[in-house]
Amino acid sequence: MEDYDIVIIGSGIAGSLLAYKLSDKHFKIIILEAGAQRNDERTAMSIEFASAVNKSPGSPFKNSMNYLQTPDNTDKSLNEYYDQLNSPDEYKSTYEKLAGGTTWHWLGNVPRLVPNDFKIKTLYGVGEDWPITYNDLEKWYCEVEREIGVSGDHEEWNDLLGGHRSQPFPMNKIWQSYSDGLIKNAIDGITIEDKVIHVLSTPQARNSQLYDGRPSCAGNSSCVPICPIQAKYDATVHLKKAIKNGVEFREKTIVFKLEQDEEGKIANVHFKNWDNEVKTIKSKIVILAAHAIESSILLLNSNLANSSKTVGKYLMDHLQGYGLGLSKTQMFPFRGPPTTSGIDVFRDSDLRKQSAPFRISLGNDAWGRAESPQKTIQDTIDKKIFGIQLRTTIEDKITRQFRFSYSTEVLPDENNYVTLGTPDVKFGIPRPKINFKVDEYTKKGFEYAWTVMEAIFIKMNLESYTIFKDRNKYSGAGHIMGTTRMGNNPGNSVVNKSCKSHDIKNLYIIGPSVFPTGGTANPTLTVAALTLRLADELKNIFELNNI
């Protein structure tokens, strides 16, 4: 049986970054990835996305048989992968099973959590406190921004909502879109709901200049689901670096069970390849980095690390809604990434005692998913408009469209959970069974966001605007969090503040699954900061124990 010092399950940003950071210690490390490696097919995948009739986050990754079924590439509905037909509300966020993980199709926005996000129970009487603070992560935030390459404006973000920055961003900000400039000129400095509005450039893991051998952003505007030139960071960057440093990488390897030895440590890691052959390897240290839903499914299927009975529980996301504007002047969307700016002032206040905070993103993709350009074209044709008038009508409308979206906090709730569902047909591994309900706290956040957006739209003196005011309609942000949360109390958490299992001393869990709460920031930067912090702690442990 093959024997390793460290086995890492999952090759997303957490698994790949950790492997790279530990690889300089000459440990025998292996990464096990359920999906396939597609590093050198970026152009072909971009063409596949461009030619897809029904575009989705998974459409670039579905050629031939070189993909594994995920929530992103189901052909019929999300419930083809998730088992949630009896759930009160639908859980709508998805992910990739692919070398590099979901960073293939992420947007690339990387704001930090703000200091108060770590202590909302103490400050506002809701949710849960983290066992660490913003200051515990601050230096790791800086290091991650250097590692993955973040473009941002230090002056705008330093001390925003109390979030001190000890170092500048490694690159200047991504230029803000033309439409963002028009919006900024119209609303910057106005007061809404006792808050002064400022349109800030959004920190992004996207190159504004040549960085780490990758080109600067060329404004292809297809960041979700694929950057055709890899100006946007994805985890294959650090996966390649880890492999170059001697880390073994095994694709198409689906881990389905972890087994303890007589000492209570995890010794055996059982997996299947895509041909359904069962194999086993041994490891001194096991790092579970398979994202929130898959990590909890593996632990539940192994009946491990669950003395707290909280594995799979406290599933969260950032639920989103939209507002669409039609300006009297041309906004010229699609010049650059889908979003380059946002409004962050509503992310923290005493209102968190009774309603969810939110972050507003300014869309640079016309009316986005609410009405794609294809739909605008079809609607115009349906009105029997043809020829030159068709072209001028479409051009006039699309060039004046813009979108606002809001992302709201979802509090941890033990009744929002992932558990074992029916086995999938091909591999016999349990599907994720999900129970999810949107609570009043989040719905009140929706309503507050509507009020803010409407006040902004009125101030802009638009030709028209639409805000979707239905408390029961929302979209998922793709920010899947919770399920193996960290905490000081082994009775209500799965890992400690170092991401080490309370129950099993050689098991560590990294990724958004360890988040006690979600705040309103895209989670990837915080995931990576926790990963670098863990890498440093593991190095110290190994040195002290002469491993």
Side-chain angles (χ1 to χ4, degrees):
M1 187 184 298
E2 295 175 281
D3 202 344
Y4 293 87
D5 295 315
I6 303 170
V7 60
I8 299 174
I9 303 167
S11 67
I13 189 170
S16 295
L17 188 57
L18 184 69
Y20 168 67
K21 283 297 184 179
L22 295 178
S23 62
D24 63 354
K25 302 296 290 184
H26 306 294
F27 302 120
K28 189 177 181 183
I29 304 173
I30 186 171
I31 301 175
L32 303 179
E33 168 56 49
Q37 191 168 16
R38 301 284 296 276
N39 295 350
D40 301 319
E41 304 171 55
R42 189 174 297 271
T43 300
M45 289 188 286
S46 299
I47 292 171
E48 190 169 349
F49 169 64
S51 60
V53 175
N54 296 314
K55 292 178 170 57
S56 72
S59 57
F61 314 115
K62 290 181 64 174
N63 73 327
S64 68
M65 293 299 292
N66 202 25
Y67 74 95
L68 193 65
Q69 189 180 44
T70 72
D72 272 341
N73 59 30
T74 52
D75 293 320
K76 297 177 182 178
S77 74
L78 195 57
N79 290 326
E80 188 178 356
Y81 189 86
Y82 293 149
D83 178 358
Q84 57 175 340
L85 294 178
N86 295 319
S87 176
D89 292 314
E90 187 174 13
Y91 192 79
K92 298 184 178 182
S93 281
T94 64
Y95 51 92
E96 289 291 345
K97 289 185 179 179
L98 193 68
T102 307
T103 53
W104 272 100
H105 79 212
W106 71 317
L107 181 54
N109 290 350
V110 285
R112 300 177 177 188
L113 288 170
V114 301
N116 286 352
D117 288 335
F118 293 86
K119 47 188 178 182
I120 62 171
K121 181 70 171 180
T122 296
L123 294 175
Y124 307 119
V126 297
E128 190 65 52
D129 289 347
W130 290 53
I132 59 175
T133 68
Y134 175 89
N135 289 336
D136 292 326
L137 277 190
E138 203 281 326
K139 76 170 184 175
W140 303 114
Y141 274 139
C142 292
E143 184 173 337
V144 166
E145 288 164 352
R146 291 193 302 272
E147 275 290 345
I148 68 178
V150 174
S151 301
D153 187 322
H154 176 75
E155 295 301 320
E156 280 188 338
W157 284 85
N158 188 27
D159 292 326
L160 181 72
L161 298 173
H164 171 67
R165 297 183 52 83
S166 60
Q167 297 181 35
F169 293 101
M171 288 179 281
N172 292 329
K173 67 181 180 181
I174 295 290
W175 64 93
Q176 290 168 277
S177 69
Y178 179 75
S179 60
D180 287 357
L182 295 178
I183 295 169
K184 184 178 179 71
N185 289 338
I187 67 172
D188 216 52
I190 67 172
T191 299
I192 295 176
E193 297 288 315
D194 297 322
K195 299 284 188 182
V196 179
I197 301 297
H198 291 294
V199 176
L200 305 180
S201 62
T202 301
Q204 299 175 58
R206 180 177 288 104
N207 291 353
S208 61
Q209 63 189 57
L210 181 65
Y211 189 88
D212 198 23
R214 296 182 288 116
S216 61
C217 176
N220 286 286
S221 201
S222 61
C223 312
V224 178
I226 188 167
C227 176
I229 62 174
Q230 208 177 20
K232 180 189 71 173
Y233 172 87
D234 63 72
T236 64
V237 170
H238 282 99
L239 180 59
K240 287 181 179 180
K241 290 180 178 181
I243 293 171
K244 185 177 180 181
N245 281 0
V247 172
E248 184 179 341
F249 175 73
R250 197 170 298 183
E251 64 172 351
K252 303 179 182 179
T253 301
I254 305 169
V255 179
F256 66 91
K257 188 175 182 181
L258 305 176
E259 183 183 0
Q260 288 180 296
D261 60 17
E262 293 178 355
E263 296 179 1
K265 296 180 181 178
I266 293 175
N268 297 326
V269 177
H270 303 288
F271 58 88
K272 297 181 179 182
N273 60 25
W274 283 17
D275 294 324
N276 248 323
E277 299 171 322
V278 177
K279 297 185 178 182
T280 301
I281 60 174
K282 298 181 75 67
S283 182
K284 295 183 180 70
I285 300 289
V286 175
I287 311 288
L288 183 51
H291 216 294
I293 289 176
E294 299 297 329
S295 289
S296 58
I297 288 295
L298 175 56
L299 291 177
L300 290 169
N301 199 44
S302 304
N303 194 26
L304 290 177
N306 197 22
S307 64
S308 65
K309 307 299 182 185
T310 61
V311 169
K313 293 186 178 180
Y314 306 108
L315 178 67
M316 298 175 289
D317 193 5
H318 292 136
L319 302 187
Q320 298 180 321
Y322 303 92
L324 309 180
L326 187 65
S327 176
K328 294 178 181 178
T329 58
Q330 289 177 304
M331 306 291 279
F332 295 111
F334 301 106
R335 294 180 171 189
T339 180
T340 58
S341 303
I343 298 171
D344 288 77
V345 72
F346 298 99
R347 291 176 58 192
D348 185 52
S349 74
D350 279 345
L351 289 174
R352 294 179 83 168
K353 293 176 180 178
Q354 61 264 353
S355 69
F358 55 89
R359 183 176 186 272
I360 293 177
S361 293
L362 278 59
N364 187 35
D365 56 352
W367 283 352
R369 299 174 194 172
E371 182 178 317
S372 67
Q374 292 94 323
K375 186 175 187 305
T376 300
I377 292 169
Q378 188 60 57
D379 288 349
T380 308
I381 292 172
D382 290 344
K383 294 176 182 176
K384 311 300 182 185
I385 299 174
F386 302 102
I388 294 175
Q389 187 181 1
L390 172 64
R391 178 171 180 171
T392 56
T393 299
I394 292 169
E395 179 180 324
D396 175 67
K397 185 174 182 180
I398 291 178
T399 58
R400 294 188 293 120
Q401 293 175 349
F402 72 94
R403 171 186 60 81
F404 277 12
S405 64
Y406 56 86
S407 297
T408 55
E409 181 175 45
V410 173
L411 293 176
D413 184 336
E414 65 177 352
N415 294 311
N416 290 345
Y417 58 81
V418 182
T419 190
L420 301 179
T422 56
D424 71 76
V425 175
K426 184 172 183 180
F427 298 107
I429 297 172
R431 294 165 59 207
K433 184 175 183 179
I434 293 178
N435 193 82
F436 187 73
K437 182 174 177 58
V438 185
D439 66 11
E440 277 296 306
Y441 183 82
T442 300
K443 290 180 179 181
K444 287 179 181 178
F446 293 170
E447 293 172 344
Y448 188 28
W450 302 338
T451 299
V452 170
M453 287 197 302
E454 187 155 31
I456 292 174
F457 288 162
I458 290 171
K459 177 66 178 179
M460 290 180 66
N461 192 28
L462 303 173
E463 179 174 310
S464 64
Y465 65 85
T466 301
I467 299 172
F468 298 94
K469 296 182 178 181
D470 188 331
R471 299 172 93 240
N472 298 311
K473 289 188 177 179
Y474 53 89
S475 61
H479 301 165
I480 305 172
M481 301 169 287
T483 74
T484 66
R485 70 178 181 180
M486 65 163 62
N488 292 323
N489 182 358
N492 63 15
S493 60
V494 179
V495 298
N496 66 16
K497 65 181 181 181
S498 297
C499 299
K500 181 179 178 181
S501 165
H502 289 304
D503 297 351
I504 303 171
K505 58 185 175 182
N506 71 330
L507 172 66
Y508 294 82
I509 306 173
I510 53 174
S513 65
V514 304
F515 285 23
T517 57
T520 54
N522 311 58
T524 307
L525 192 76
T526 302
V527 166
L530 289 168
T531 300
L532 291 185
R533 182 171 174 266
L534 174 60
D536 191 64
E537 291 194 17
L538 286 175
K539 287 180 182 179
N540 291 333
I541 292 170
F542 296 155
E543 288 174 1
L544 287 173
N545 292 277
N546 198 28
I547 297 176

